[in-house]
Amino acid sequence: MSGPLRSKQGCWTCRLRKKKCDEGRPLCSLCTSLSITCYGYGPRPDWMDNGEEEKAVASGIKEIVKHTSRRKVTTQISSRQRDHIIRIAPNPSNVPLGSSSSGAISNRQLDTPPPSDHGSSQEGGIQEVQDASNETFPLQDDDQAVPASVFSIPVDETTLLMHFLDDLFPLQFPLYKPSALEGGRGWLLPLLLRVKPLYHAALTFGAYYRTVALPTISQSSRVAAKIERGNHFEICIRSLNQFAKHSCPYRKLGIVTTVVQLTFYELFTGDGDTWQPHLRAAMGMYKRGNEGSLEDIGLVEKSRRILFEDHPITEYEPETTEEVATFRFVFGCIIWLDILSSIMAGTAPHLLPYHSRVITLNSQTKLQDIMGCKDGVILLLGRLAAIYGQKVQASQHAAFDCSQLEQTVDEMSQEIQCGLTQGALENINISSAISAPSFNTMLDPPTLVTHMFLYMASIYLHLLVQGFQHLILLDKTISEAMTMLRTRTSTNLLPSLVCPLFFVGCVARQEDKQFFRSAFSSPPLLNSSLKHRGRVLPILEDIWSKRATILGFSWENCVELTKNLLLI
């Protein structure tokens, strides 16, 4: 008997590759086993044009198949030689359940399986995996864990992880440099390797970086990276959905971190508002995480006590340090994103009741360590956003109290001027024109960044009350801000000043506009990985044009232009 005929109704991927397709639904088994995109059975894809685009897709798929085949061979060899593999950590089965958090492995790591390739990421119930001793460890229902051993991570995935850690995470937080006692950035890697959605979110980011920031790679490799990016993103979202169905408290902190990273990913890669649902989800998790005693986050008791009582880290215990550092960083980051997004959307911050409660005078969660601006100033901006949000809501119901607004504005104006004066006393005398480049290295970055955010607050307050009328009242503020930008600010600090730059740019004088045109059209602000920043200069140009031609142009008009933009 002759062999089975190749189906002419197979998935488009198999038809492109001229392979036999089993026509499995929704995805065929061959594509699934090779970790390549199955293009399904619907209408013929646009790229199947017998031309260059079809060749590029075919080459990309071929590239992924080559890597997948190589990984399978490596896995087979490893399985035959597993008795000879040197293990860093002890076998989880040999660790008693009562071992302390300072031991070689924590109780929590007992449900973390060894690494698996993409094939194991498919939907299923409880998945079972084998460790080196051939003992079976059931994976939790939520299937959120990823490898604990870096030895079994494929080479191509380690490259993507390093793109994320070395290139993309610093783009998100250019001034984040935690101390050695806090473990530096060491909390991030174990979290990546422990939480499956976060792991694949990082790989998605890394594949994105490969496609946009490495111009020397071939077209076929670029297409392969795009397909790989789509695969990892799909796994990330599917894992998050599984978590929503089978919540595991031990991984909630990692899930919050994942959602924050998806916010950055959608912001960096898109040109719309697809980042907003992720940020709203993160803020919802923030509220739930702060309403109780942190027990449902899955932290060890000592970590909960340190966080609940807001104590500093005084002893280095790896698990406690990792959890406390992660919690303070991620939840502080959410407050920062909440404030910046509300400013540009013209709404009150969603987490406003938590701001002053969590970020106190002696709080161990310090926003300046995360994004550069001192806590009091960024919280002041959040209060300004709340005033505007309340003003918009009240005006819609004709119930706005102007007298109360005037009193609040006077109080906040005094607070801003006090901050600017204090900055001048801290050796930042703006009015003296010091232009020596060497002086830049003497400035404390958080102090400089904070001062620029204070100028932003002064401009923001004026725009909330008077719009673009009477800009002469801001003349001193604008002059001092431009002097600081031109003579005191090193280029590498500009990525930490995107929001203040935008606000100063909104009210820029004619002679200053070229500075902003240059800043927002060249590195380091204009970066191929940060697509959202390419929208800033066109919006500024639009504002400059409209404020000169439209009588009564206001901040409300600006909000219409910026509500989908997050200025980071």
Side-chain angles (χ1 to χ4, degrees):
M1 250 182 105
S2 60
L5 295 176
R6 183 176 300 129
S7 170
K8 294 182 180 179
Q9 301 301 319
C11 76
W12 289 106
T13 306
C14 289
R15 293 164 76 173
L16 174 68
R17 299 180 62 233
K18 297 181 173 59
K19 301 293 182 181
K20 184 178 73 172
C21 179
D22 66 359
E23 300 183 39
R25 308 285 172 151
L27 307 176
C28 84
S29 300
L30 181 59
C31 293
T32 300
S33 67
L34 293 173
S35 299
I36 58 178
T37 299
C38 180
Y39 286 99
Y41 311 91
R44 184 185 185 91
D46 293 338
W47 48 262
M48 290 195 76
D49 56 359
N50 295 318
E52 292 301 318
E53 191 170 358
E54 181 174 328
K55 290 180 182 178
V57 172
S59 298
I61 293 175
K62 184 177 180 181
E63 193 80 16
I64 292 178
V65 170
K66 181 172 67 175
H67 286 303
T68 304
S69 301
R70 186 184 304 152
R71 183 164 65 238
K72 285 185 176 180
V73 170
T74 303
T75 303
Q76 291 170 359
I77 294 174
S78 298
S79 65
R80 291 196 299 268
Q81 299 178 346
R82 64 178 62 188
D83 291 337
H84 303 288
I85 294 179
I86 300 174
R87 299 174 64 87
I88 293 178
N91 187 323
S93 64
N94 297 329
V95 181
L97 289 175
S99 60
S100 68
S101 62
S102 60
I105 188 168
S106 69
N107 296 347
R108 186 171 327 167
Q109 290 170 308
L110 292 174
D111 67 351
T112 302
S116 57
D117 63 18
H118 291 170
S120 66
S121 300
Q122 301 302 318
E123 300 279 12
I126 296 179
Q127 184 183 4
E128 293 188 344
V129 291
Q130 301 287 334
D131 79 338
S133 65
N134 288 327
E135 293 186 29
T136 300
F137 289 87
L139 191 61
Q140 296 292 334
D141 285 349
D142 59 352
D143 190 21
Q144 300 305 308
V146 291
S149 168
V150 295
F151 285 133
S152 55
I153 299 177
V155 173
D156 55 330
E157 292 187 5
T158 61
T159 301
L160 298 182
L161 280 179
M162 293 313 297
H163 282 323
F164 172 75
L165 293 169
D166 290 346
D167 301 307
L168 289 160
F169 192 80
L171 284 180
Q172 299 171 25
F173 309 101
L175 291 184
Y176 177 59
K177 295 178 174 59
S179 68
L181 185 60
E182 296 172 314
R185 289 191 297 153
W187 58 268
L188 184 56
L189 184 57
L191 197 65
L192 282 170
L193 299 179
R194 187 182 301 130
V195 181
K196 181 175 180 178
L198 181 59
Y199 177 78
H200 286 283
L203 295 181
T204 303
F205 238 142
Y208 166 69
Y209 181 83
R210 181 180 285 175
T211 61
V212 300
L214 302 177
T216 57
I217 65 173
S218 65
Q219 179 63 21
S220 61
S221 296
R222 197 178 304 279
V223 172
K226 286 183 178 179
I227 296 174
E228 191 174 29
R229 168 182 159 193
N231 288 340
H232 288 304
F233 186 77
E234 180 183 350
I235 294 171
C236 174
I237 298 300
R238 185 167 64 240
S239 299
L240 281 176
N241 290 335
Q242 286 180 326
F243 176 86
K245 295 177 182 177
H246 309 285
S247 180
C248 174
Y250 286 149
R251 299 193 179 98
K252 281 190 178 178
L253 191 53
I255 295 301
V256 178
T257 309
T258 304
V259 177
V260 170
Q261 282 303 319
L262 288 176
T263 302
F264 280 104
Y265 174 75
E266 294 288 2
L267 177 69
F268 285 11
T269 63
D271 57 1
D273 59 358
T274 53
W275 55 271
Q276 291 180 342
H278 297 298
L279 182 55
R280 285 195 294 270
M283 291 188 292
M285 294 177 181
Y286 183 102
K287 290 180 180 179
R288 291 190 293 273
N290 278 279
E291 283 171 355
S293 58
L294 307 179
E295 292 182 0
D296 63 341
I297 298 294
L299 308 178
V300 298
E301 182 180 351
K302 186 169 184 179
S303 298
R304 292 201 307 271
R305 187 169 63 252
I306 290 174
L307 290 167
F308 196 69
E309 298 174 359
D310 201 24
H311 288 166
I313 299 175
T314 56
E315 298 177 5
Y316 182 77
E317 294 184 9
E319 183 175 26
T320 301
T321 298
E322 176 193 329
E323 289 185 338
V324 171
T326 304
F327 185 94
R328 286 176 174 162
F329 174 84
V330 173
F331 280 65
C333 177
I334 293 173
I335 288 181
W336 168 47
L337 296 177
D338 176 35
I339 292 172
L340 290 193
S341 62
S342 66
I343 289 172
M344 306 319 298
T347 60
H350 295 273
L351 301 176
L352 187 65
Y354 299 91
H355 290 179
S356 57
R357 188 197 316 172
V358 175
I359 310 295
T360 60
L361 182 62
N362 298 311
S363 172
Q364 299 304 311
T365 300
K366 299 185 184 302
L367 298 181
Q368 72 180 54
D369 295 339
I370 299 172
M371 45 75 66
C373 180
K374 293 182 180 178
D375 299 341
V377 177
I378 195 69
L379 295 185
L380 171 64
L381 288 166
R383 285 156 50 205
L384 286 173
I387 289 174
Y388 181 72
Q390 293 164 5
K391 175 184 174 181
V392 171
Q393 284 191 336
S395 61
Q396 291 173 350
H397 299 88
F400 188 62
D401 186 352
C402 293
S403 61
Q404 184 178 0
L405 173 65
E406 290 174 0
Q407 181 181 351
T408 305
V409 166
D410 287 341
E411 292 173 354
M412 301 192 80
S413 179
Q414 291 176 18
E415 193 172 340
I416 293 169
Q417 291 307 313
C418 181
L420 289 170
T421 302
Q422 182 63 33
L425 293 176
E426 294 177 0
N427 200 26
I428 302 186
N429 184 3
I430 305 303
S431 56
S432 62
I434 299 177
S435 57
S438 61
F439 188 79
N440 287 332
T441 60
M442 298 171 61
L443 291 177
D444 175 29
T447 303
L448 187 146
V449 170
T450 299
H451 219 76
M452 285 303 305
F453 272 89
L454 275 168
Y455 288 132
M456 167 185 161
S458 181
I459 294 168
Y460 185 29
L461 182 58
H462 180 95
L463 294 178
L464 295 186
V465 177
Q466 303 195 49
F468 288 88
Q469 286 70 52
H470 311 297
L471 288 184
I472 192 171
L473 298 175
L474 287 175
D475 201 47
K476 182 175 182 290
T477 299
I478 297 170
S479 295
E480 291 182 354
M482 292 308 302
T483 299
M484 177 170 279
L485 288 171
R486 285 193 166 108
T487 66
R488 304 289 182 86
T489 306
S490 59
T491 304
N492 61 6
L493 274 181
L494 291 180
S496 303
L497 299 172
V498 177
C499 204
L501 278 168
F502 177 81
F503 271 84
V504 180
C506 282
V507 296
R509 299 165 299 196
Q510 187 62 37
E511 63 269 24
D512 296 326
K513 291 178 181 178
Q514 188 54 44
F515 175 89
F516 297 97
R517 290 188 176 109
S518 299
F520 282 110
S521 61
S522 59
L525 288 184
L526 195 65
N527 186 301
S528 58
S529 300
L530 308 174
K531 289 186 177 180
H532 68 292
R533 287 192 191 161
R535 298 171 55 199
V536 177
L537 183 56
I539 291 175
L540 277 179
E541 295 281 4
D542 203 8
I543 290 172
W544 293 336
S545 173
K546 289 180 177 178
R547 89 181 203 205
T549 57
I550 299 177
L551 186 64
F553 187 67
S554 66
W555 176 247
E556 185 176 358
N557 300 124
C558 287
V559 167
E560 291 301 314
L561 300 173
T562 63
K563 63 172 55 176
N564 294 331
L565 188 62
L566 191 57
L567 289 172
I568 55 177

